Amino acid sequence: MSNRAPQIVALGGGGFSMERDSSLLDDYVLSLTAASRPRVCFLPTASGDADHYVVRFYRRFSPTCDASHLSLFRRDQGTDGVEDDLATHLLSQDIIYVGGGNMLSMLGAWRAHGLDAILRKAWRRGIVMCGPSAGSLCWFDQALSAFHGAPRIVRGLGLLPYSNCVHYDAEPERRAEYHRFVADGMRPGFAAEDGVALHFRGTDLARVVSSRRDGAAFLVEHDGKRVRETRLEVDFLGGASVLPSSSPVVAPELDEPPAVTHAAGAGPPALSTRQAVAA
């Protein structure tokens, strides 16, 4: 059993699928492994295993990594012996990279193939889990999904006992809906703009990084009277942090937190961040 801490890098949007000229977020994920040539497996399930998405993954990662992918919608399930034993292959990776798309369909396919349990085990072993959009939302207990129709709450894998909202700047209507859902009882949680990633160690938010100088992320919670949005300190990956330091965010007190099933080894369901500045 590995003694590496569980890690998740949840991208609000970005990485190789969105940033053609820069993949600083992907570089950051790769830096979290000690491997000289990391083993990276791509799960494009949320896109229906779109061929163009898989090709772009290999173009980005195969020059410097032992890259593979896992397909649930193709007869050929992948490369590098994936189809022989899904669990063995995934649990041998340094990074599992989940693509964007339809989160609800992705979770259904994962559960049908037993991947939900395998991914929980991979996370506990310290394999770095990451992804943008649906590849971010899936790790949380609750997520705001707007892939089809009006925004709705979708239950994720529950590795992180918070809620999550992505594309916070690219799709402005998500902000209003996220605030509304949190006001109505959705778990407090984190919102990230495109080009911004939330890095969790265990269930604590350890760092927020951005490939953009003006990228932002927020802690969103209900203080008993109204929804409060607190801007988090963000480290720009192209240089020094562009936001000033301030006092730590105080974790919200939940008298009766919503029920959540925690993976073994998960920390307590209290929000923890590095530092923040008032929005």
Side-chain angles (χ1 to χ4, degrees), residues 22 29-30 35 51 54 77 80 93 105 113 117-118 131 141 143 149 197 244 263-264 276:
S22 173
V29 172
L30 291 171
D51 292 334
V54 174
Q77 287 193 292
D80 197 22
Q93 302 301 304
S105 296
H113 289 267
I118 296 171
D141 180 49

Side-chain angles (χ1 to χ4, degrees), residues 5-222:
Q7 296 189 79
I8 291 174
V9 183
L11 284 64
F16 75 91
S17 63
M18 292 179 64
E19 300 175 287
R20 294 174 182 244
D21 298 327
S22 173
S23 55
L24 292 175
L25 296 180
D26 293 335
D27 290 342
Y28 179 76
V29 172
L30 291 171
S31 76
L32 300 178
T33 77
S36 58
R37 189 175 176 85
R39 294 173 59 88
V40 184
C41 186
F42 181 45
L43 274 60
T45 320
S47 68
D49 298 333
D51 292 334
H52 67 86
Y53 207 178
V54 174
V55 169
R56 291 180 68 178
F57 164 76
Y58 280 106
R59 285 177 178 168
R60 169 61 180 89
F61 288 97
S62 60
T64 59
C65 303
D66 288 340
S68 62
H69 76 281
L70 188 159
S71 172
L72 299 180
F73 295 100
R74 300 285 190 272
R75 184 176 294 275
D76 179 3
Q77 287 193 292
T79 57
D80 197 22
V82 171
E83 59 189 4
D84 296 332
D85 188 337
L86 301 183
T88 297
H89 182 78
L90 288 173
L91 295 175
S92 70
Q93 302 301 304
D94 296 299
I95 298 169
I96 294 176
Y97 200 120
V98 178
N102 189 325
M103 176 191 174
L104 197 61
S105 296
M106 176 180 72
L107 291 175
W110 282 0
R111 288 165 180 147
H113 289 267
L115 257 66
D116 53 339
I118 296 171
L119 292 174
R120 289 189 181 95
K121 190 173 184 178
W123 174 71
R124 293 197 298 270
R125 286 193 178 186
I127 296 170
V128 179
M129 321 296 279
C130 70
S133 194
S136 170
L137 300 173
C138 63
W139 312 116
F140 293 81
D141 180 49
Q142 295 177 330
L144 181 68
S145 176
F147 190 83
H148 284 307
R152 56 182 294 190
I153 298 175
V154 176
R155 192 70 175 258
L157 294 179
L159 303 184
L160 299 173
Y162 321 114
S163 62
N164 183 226
C165 182
V166 296
H167 305 310
Y168 211 51
D169 57 335
E171 301 175 16
E173 66 277 5
R174 291 198 188 220
R175 180 178 182 181
E177 291 296 331
Y178 190 37
H179 281 217
R180 180 174 68 84
F181 282 126
V182 170
D184 289 343
M186 187 181 190
R187 272 190 175 274
F190 300 94
E193 296 182 351
D194 286 351
V196 179
L198 306 161
H199 178 194
F200 293 87
R201 291 185 182 274
T203 57
D204 291 338
L205 181 61
R207 192 180 184 192
V208 184
V209 296
S210 176
S211 62
R212 300 163 35 202
R213 287 187 178 275
D214 60 346
F218 304 88
L219 166 65
V220 180
E221 58 188 331
H222 196 279

